[in-house]
Amino acid sequence: MEDNIIGKPIDRKDGPLKVTGTATYAGEFQLKNMAYGVTVQSTITKGTIENIDTRAAEALKGVIGVMTYKNALKLYPFVSGKPMGGRFSERELLPLQSGNVFYNGQHIAVVIAETFEIAEHAASVIKITYKEEPAVFKFIEQDAVLYAPGEGGAGATPPKQRGYALKAMNNAAVTIEETYSTPVYHHNPIEPHVTAAEWVGDELTVHDATQNVFGARDLISSMLGISKDKVRIIAPFIGGGFGSKGFMWANSILAPMAAKFVNRPVRIVLDRTGQMFTCAGRRSVTIQKIGLGADTAGKFASIKHETTAETSFVDEFVESAGGVTKMLYATDNLDVVQKLVKLNKGTPCPTRAPGEAPGTYALEVALDELAYKLNMDPLQLRLVNYAEKNPQDGNEWSGKNLRECYTKGAASIGWSNRNKMPGATMEGDNLAGYGMATATYPANRSKATVGMKLYQSGKVIAACGTQDIGTGTYTVMAQIMADALGLPIDKVEIKLGDTIYPQGPGSGGSQTMATTGPSVLAAALTLKTKIILLAVADKRSPLYDKTAEDISIHNGRLFLTGNTDKGETYKQILVRNKLPVIETEITTEVSTRGGAKAAEKKPGNQKGNPKNESIGNQFVQKDEDQDRRNLSFYSFGAHFVKVLVDPITCMVKVDKIVCVMDVGKILNSKTAASQIIGGAVWGIGMALMEGSEYDPNTGRIVTRDLSEYLVPVHADMPDFDIQFIDKPDLNISPVGAKGAGEIGITGITAAIANAVYHATGKRVRDLPITPDKLL
């Protein structure tokens, strides 16, 4: 056993596979006799197809067929679930079921050919005539209708009022009321959306780039009208998703439809130049009106937050930017309002920290503005309004060490030493500025089942139908298992991303390790107890007649605590008892949003005494019996940023970022830091360069690829200082870990914007902060 393996910066278990090109992604599975599908997209923004002429395409050599709404497999309606429980992206637009067009770039046909190149060319020669209708594609225009979203919709959180916000605002000694806007952001994972489907009789296998294999299975089976047990989804590796692969998009069902249509396996890959920007989700535009009222000491009297976001005409997704305002700071008077407008665009969807990322931008910049108006340190303003309990419901925090985050971050960047006057600090030829902001994200946990097998060789394999979307799930699950079983990490193997494995959670909401970690730990403890009880009950064992408490394990060897000479290995115990394998399967069902139950499933071929299962049951029972009803589960953090701004060109360079995060127990310091850095990089993009543009006359996206849609690159990277409080939150689970995948992007955009203001004295409230806005 590697001592103290939990928390160590263990290299990724899947790293060698990825750097050698042997990790197989959805688009790389080679299926026998595979054909290639390319979708045809609409060139109008709203209307109907009058005629679709496929003759020229069908006449090309190598074209197998062209699938349109006239000949496609008919799909069944489905009940749209919650985002990570399996949700199709556009419930009123089942692919190729009618000739109606709701947005520019909508899939309206699929060409299937012997090669990708033939399919792509054939798609270009299809001739389509339309009957166009007036479209609504500008965020604010005469035909755009604002409405309040329904509760329970995707991303929606109900509005919240406390006290008398308007009256308190009017009576406050100091107030600010400003409007902040964010553009459309696109996910741009390194792996595009891709699906390969193969039918064998009435059974379907789908290789899909998805953040939720079980959710995809449920949706595909429902839409095709077949039993779930006839569908298998495989996704062992995901090249990033950031929420876009949490919803299921048209390609995931078009590939099975096309495979049935031509009676061959079919692969469909969305291209980077257009399709990934029209048919795979995005973050909504937001316009956020923030009002803050305070006394002269900075204590909040009132907070108002009104968000207007966009959705589509074929589904409803809500970018609930005001959700964070309800809980982050203490105030008796609050008014949070959410409005939506339907546009003829593809449906928005979760994008890394949906709601919290744009919400913390607006709120934390507003706090900075109020602090300057009060002539008060922005950090001190946050401390004055520190929420000791969740102000939304009065619940205690499951764990909150935000003050410590502030203290460590401020010390690391030299916050107290800065010149507090905006626009007054030069560093060489550049203006220098410092900014800070608070980070927060819900600490989510849900249900997971893990199966685990210990073999005579001493190797242990655990399987769970969750996914590793590039965050390090393979590695961190292996660390928990190896530590619990007293094994070197190279003796344990994790299998993920397949619906033949026990069901795990979707990879979203920063919940994967908080959810799977307790299941892995419970299964490992169960196996360990089984093997110990086999040994102490066997007269042939040197550990005969000892108690479990007397025994330690190291490097796969059981020995008497205090006497390492008296012991034997896992292998010796299994061989002597003629057991090729010992196995278990554990389910933990604990929700941080209420409700909990758990049980162990005992496979019929399981060997040994049923009482040997008790340790797993006891572990799970204790976990589920913990009363979490009056606790609020969140992670917290603080960002401190230094920027340099060229006073002539107004180019902004982020020079240093300090992130101090309170995300519970750190299971792997390398992968955790990588997640926070990744979130901060997204924040650089949000603040300074990213934003999708649409043609104001046609509603067609203009920034169609990465040459037009700018993202941060290596040359844009600052000096990163990533720190963790590393205090386990044992209220969320016995493992004590919270998610780290999304909190890094919350607050960082505001911290950069606040630093730019401090450097230049110019406040930009319309992202991104480009040089022309500072000139």
Side-chain angles (χ1 to χ4, degrees):
M1 182 179 71
E2 298 179 38
D3 293 332
N4 301 316
I5 193 173
I6 299 298
K8 295 294 185 183
I10 304 297
D11 291 340
R12 290 174 182 259
K13 292 273 286 182
D14 51 330
L17 295 176
K18 290 181 175 178
V19 299
T20 57
T22 51
T24 308
Y25 292 81
E28 297 175 326
F29 283 90
Q30 300 302 314
L31 307 179
K32 186 177 180 181
N33 199 30
M34 184 165 64
Y36 299 83
V38 169
T39 69
V40 179
Q41 296 175 274
S42 66
T43 56
I44 66 166
T45 304
K46 185 182 180 184
T48 56
I49 298 171
E50 287 190 327
N51 184 56
I52 181 164
D53 185 350
T54 62
R55 290 173 295 177
E58 291 169 326
L60 291 173
K61 183 179 180 181
V63 172
I64 304 168
V66 179
M67 188 170 66
T68 71
Y69 71 94
K70 295 180 178 181
N71 59 9
L73 186 70
K74 297 306 175 185
L75 300 176
Y76 291 81
F78 62 93
V79 178
S80 183
K82 293 182 179 181
M84 298 318 301
R87 178 184 168 88
F88 188 67
S89 54
E90 297 176 327
R91 65 173 180 261
E92 302 299 329
L93 182 59
L94 299 186
L96 305 189
Q97 300 300 290
S98 77
N100 297 325
V101 175
F102 292 93
Y103 58 88
N104 201 297
Q106 176 183 318
H107 298 297
I108 56 175
V110 179
V111 178
I112 305 105
E114 297 291 348
T115 69
F116 170 78
E117 291 78 12
I118 294 172
E120 189 174 44
H121 173 61
S124 71
V125 301
I126 291 177
K127 299 186 183 301
I128 304 162
T129 56
Y130 304 92
K131 181 181 179 181
E132 288 196 62
E133 300 174 16
V136 181
F137 48 78
K138 297 178 182 177
F139 193 74
I140 298 177
E141 60 181 73
Q142 185 174 358
D143 295 328
V145 178
L146 292 175
Y147 70 99
E151 291 188 26
T157 60
K160 184 68 178 180
Q161 285 79 38
R162 293 197 300 268
Y164 302 93
L166 180 59
K167 181 179 179 180
M169 185 72 68
N170 291 336
N171 293 332
V174 183
T175 63
I176 66 113
E177 292 190 71
E178 297 292 351
T179 299
Y180 307 89
S181 63
T182 62
V184 167
Y185 296 109
H186 275 87
H187 306 78
N188 288 305
I190 194 169
E191 174 200 32
H193 288 244
V194 54
T195 309
E198 180 177 26
W199 291 88
V200 178
D202 63 349
E203 296 188 347
L204 172 65
T205 300
V206 181
H207 301 274
D208 195 33
T210 175
Q211 293 176 225
N212 192 347
V213 291
F214 277 93
R217 182 203 65 177
D218 293 353
L219 284 171
I220 290 172
S221 62
S222 174
M223 295 168 78
L224 294 174
I226 60 178
S227 173
K228 293 178 185 178
D229 61 12
K230 298 291 186 181
V231 180
R232 179 183 179 188
I233 310 296
I234 301 173
F237 299 100
I238 311 295
F242 312 117
S244 67
K245 296 170 184 172
F247 279 13
M248 194 180 89
W249 297 91
N251 56 283
S252 298
I253 191 67
L254 285 172
M257 292 166 67
K260 178 69 78 172
F261 184 70
V262 299
N263 197 29
R264 286 175 60 175
V266 173
R267 177 194 294 162
I268 295 176
V269 182
L270 299 191
D271 68 38
R272 186 73 70 181
T273 55
Q275 292 180 334
M276 286 293 291
F277 283 86
T278 56
C279 308
R282 58 192 169 83
R283 196 191 297 277
S284 166
V285 165
T286 71
I287 295 177
Q288 301 177 62
K289 297 179 181 179
I290 303 279
L292 300 177
D295 62 21
T296 55
K299 184 67 177 176
F300 288 147
S302 179
I303 301 177
K304 296 175 64 180
H305 190 162
E306 178 185 296
T307 302
T308 302
E310 58 177 317
T311 189
S312 74
F313 279 97
V314 294
D315 211 327
E316 182 176 282
F317 178 80
V318 186
E319 189 78 29
S320 296
V324 68
T325 305
K326 302 174 188 179
M327 49 68 60
L328 192 51
Y329 297 106
T331 181
D332 293 330
N333 302 290
L334 175 81
D335 189 10
V336 174
V337 177
Q338 178 77 49
K339 297 178 180 179
L340 276 184
V341 59
K342 290 185 177 182
L343 302 181
N344 287 109
K345 295 181 181 179
T347 309
C349 74
T351 308
R352 200 171 195 168
E356 283 81 7
T360 52
Y361 156 67
L363 178 63
E364 292 294 299
V365 172
L367 260 75
D368 200 64
E369 297 206 53
L370 180 63
Y372 279 100
K373 193 169 184 178
L374 286 162
N375 193 27
M376 186 176 188
D377 187 328
L379 174 55
Q380 182 61 27
L381 177 63
R382 288 162 174 83
L383 291 170
V384 167
N385 294 285
Y386 192 90
E388 299 291 354
K389 296 181 179 181
N390 187 336
Q392 183 174 343
D393 52 27
N395 286 345
E396 299 283 349
W397 304 110
S398 67
K400 183 178 181 180
N401 300 284
L402 180 55
R403 281 195 179 91
E404 192 173 347
C405 296
Y406 288 147
T407 300
K408 288 178 177 291
S412 295
I413 206 160
W415 182 255
S416 62
N417 297 326
R418 77 196 189 288
N419 184 334
K420 297 176 178 59
M421 180 68 66
T425 303
M426 295 294 295
E427 192 168 300
D429 294 330
N430 295 309
L431 291 161
Y434 294 81
M436 62 84 56
T438 306
T440 188
Y441 193 76
N444 296 316
R445 181 184 172 190
S446 58
K447 180 181 179 180
T449 302
V450 171
M452 194 175 293
K453 296 180 179 181
L454 169 62
Y455 293 90
Q456 274 191 4
S457 64
K459 185 172 185 177
V460 184
I461 297 178
C464 179
T466 188
Q467 306 71 215
D468 189 329
I469 58 174
T471 54
T473 306
Y474 279 109
T475 307
V476 181
M477 286 179 70
Q479 285 177 259
I480 294 172
M481 188 163 69
D483 184 73
L485 290 169
L487 284 169
I489 198 166
D490 61 3
K491 280 289 189 179
V492 301
E493 181 180 350
I494 304 292
K495 293 183 178 292
L496 305 173
D498 197 322
T499 52
I500 65 170
Y501 301 146
Q503 185 165 354
S507 299
S510 293
Q511 67 167 334
T512 304
M513 284 318 305
T515 299
T516 60
S519 302
V520 171
L521 181 56
L525 292 175
T526 299
L527 281 188
K528 183 169 74 171
T529 300
K530 286 184 176 185
I531 200 78
I532 289 174
L533 293 179
L534 276 175
V536 301
D538 188 347
K539 293 182 178 180
R540 298 166 293 176
S541 170
L543 301 173
Y544 173 66
D545 208 26
K546 304 300 180 184
T547 66
E549 292 74 19
D550 295 331
I551 295 172
S552 300
I553 306 176
H554 185 272
N555 201 25
R557 182 174 180 272
L558 288 71
F559 58 89
L560 195 61
T561 303
N563 184 0
T564 57
D565 294 334
K566 198 168 186 177
E568 58 183 339
T569 64
Y570 286 147
K571 180 177 180 179
Q572 288 171 319
I573 296 169
L574 266 65
V575 168
R576 189 172 61 246
N577 285 275
K578 297 183 173 59
L579 293 173
V581 64
I582 296 179
E583 60 186 288
T584 192
E585 186 173 292
I586 290 280
T587 297
T588 55
E589 189 173 356
V590 173
S591 173
T592 52
R593 293 174 177 172
K597 62 181 180 179
E600 165 143 15
K601 301 174 184 177
K602 303 176 179 62
N605 63 347
Q606 192 161 298
K607 304 290 184 180
N609 190 322
K611 73 177 183 181
N612 295 358
E613 307 301 321
S614 62
I615 185 66
N617 284 327
Q618 291 170 11
F619 178 91
V620 170
Q621 195 68 45
K622 182 179 179 181
D623 187 13
E624 81 166 49
D625 285 347
Q626 186 168 346
D627 188 355
R628 298 174 168 89
R629 291 171 296 178
N630 297 318
L631 292 174
S632 287
F633 294 87
Y634 284 84
S635 293
F636 295 93
H639 297 289
F640 290 81
V641 172
K642 176 187 175 186
V643 301
L644 300 174
V645 182
D646 187 314
I648 298 174
T649 66
C650 293
M651 291 292 293
V652 178
K653 167 69 177 176
V654 180
D655 186 62
K656 184 172 183 176
I657 292 178
V658 178
C659 307
V660 186
M661 294 291 147
D662 174 26
V663 292
K665 177 63 181 173
I666 300 302
L667 302 176
N668 183 311
S669 57
K670 181 184 291 187
T671 58
S674 178
Q675 287 301 295
I676 303 304
I677 290 172
V681 171
W682 272 58
I684 294 172
M686 284 184 68
L688 301 179
M689 59 193 73
E690 292 188 50
S692 295
E693 299 289 343
Y694 291 80
D695 187 318
N697 299 307
T698 66
R700 183 178 302 157
I701 192 164
V702 176
T703 48
R704 297 174 57 85
D705 55 40
L706 292 177
S707 67
E708 299 290 338
Y709 184 95
L710 303 181
V711 297
V713 296
H714 285 292
D716 300 307
M717 293 303 100
D719 173 25
F720 287 104
D721 181 356
I722 310 299
Q723 302 173 38
F724 295 102
I725 302 302
D726 198 16
K727 292 181 180 177
D729 183 350
L730 299 179
N731 287 309
I732 193 169
S733 83
V735 175
K738 302 175 184 177
E742 290 169 279
I743 190 173
I745 192 178
T746 71
I748 182 64
T749 305
I752 294 169
N754 293 338
V756 171
Y757 171 75
H758 181 241
T760 64
K762 295 182 179 180
R763 184 73 69 178
V764 178
R765 302 182 183 94
D766 176 30
L767 294 183
I769 303 171
T770 47
D772 57 296
K773 296 174 183 177
L774 294 173
L775 285 170

